[in-house]
Amino acid sequence: MAVFNPNLLMAEALAQARLALAHGEVPIGAVLANPNGEIIARAHNLVEAQHNPLQHAEMLCLHAALAHMNDKFLLGCTLAVTLEPCPMCMAALSHARVARVVFGAYDPKSGGTVNGPRVANFMHHQPEILGGIEEAPCAALLTDFFKTLRT
């Protein structure tokens, strides 16, 4: 059984974010680990490639993990994502009964976890939230991406 290591999970999520960047997507990556700490799903944003605003890294990870587990719930699982989940993703994570959400950079404008509407507070399932893991590299990827986009 693997030990829960938020930094290791975030390193994997950052690798996914860099893949997103290489494909012209907003650099957000996510991984989902089973209760034993083994990564069972990896994803990065595909909003631009698929012309679909629902294709956030978290949503894609949820779809892959649910298929892998062959279940409608992800009990005991941990999702790590490079940016604080938005309200849509946080609601989906709650509905899927993810046990823990680990994120890197805070999103004061569009977050739905510790900023904004704090969606889980109004849901039947409230995952444990752990923010600010590897915050600096997660935030730098996003800042650099948007700085380049604006020039």
Side-chain angles (χ1 to χ4, degrees):
M1 182 165 120
V3 176
F4 169 65
N5 184 333
N7 295 87
L8 180 61
L9 291 177
M10 193 57 67
E12 294 291 328
L14 273 162
Q16 288 297 309
R18 289 183 190 100
L19 283 175
L21 180 64
H23 290 98
E25 297 281 347
V26 176
I28 299 171
V31 298
L32 201 139
N34 69 15
N36 294 327
E38 301 159 334
I39 295 174
I40 59 172
R42 292 173 168 81
H44 59 76
N45 274 14
L46 289 175
V47 171
E48 301 303 323
Q50 294 186 6
H51 307 290
N52 184 337
L54 305 178
Q55 300 306 298
H56 289 195
E58 301 97 320
M59 300 295 277
L60 295 166
C61 244
L62 281 174
H63 281 284
L66 289 162
H68 176 84
M69 299 288 278
N70 195 29
D71 199 344
K72 67 178 182 177
F73 297 129
L74 296 169
L75 301 172
C77 292
T78 299
L79 178 108
V81 61
T82 55
L83 181 65
E84 176 183 351
C86 72
M88 172 185 71
C89 291
M90 197 59 228
L93 291 162
S94 176
H95 281 293
R97 308 282 200 289
V98 170
R100 183 184 298 123
V101 175
V102 176
F103 69 86
Y106 289 85
D107 189 353
K109 181 180 174 188
S110 300
T113 305
V114 298
N115 288 295
R118 299 180 185 197
V119 172
N121 292 346
F122 304 99
M123 304 294 288
H124 55 278
H125 173 73
Q126 296 181 11
E128 175 187 348
I129 306 294
L130 182 59
I133 303 301
E134 299 294 333
E135 181 178 6
C138 292
L141 260 179
L142 289 158
T143 300
D144 292 348
F145 172 80
F146 286 111
K147 194 180 295 182
T148 302
L149 195 63
R150 291 183 186 110
T151 58

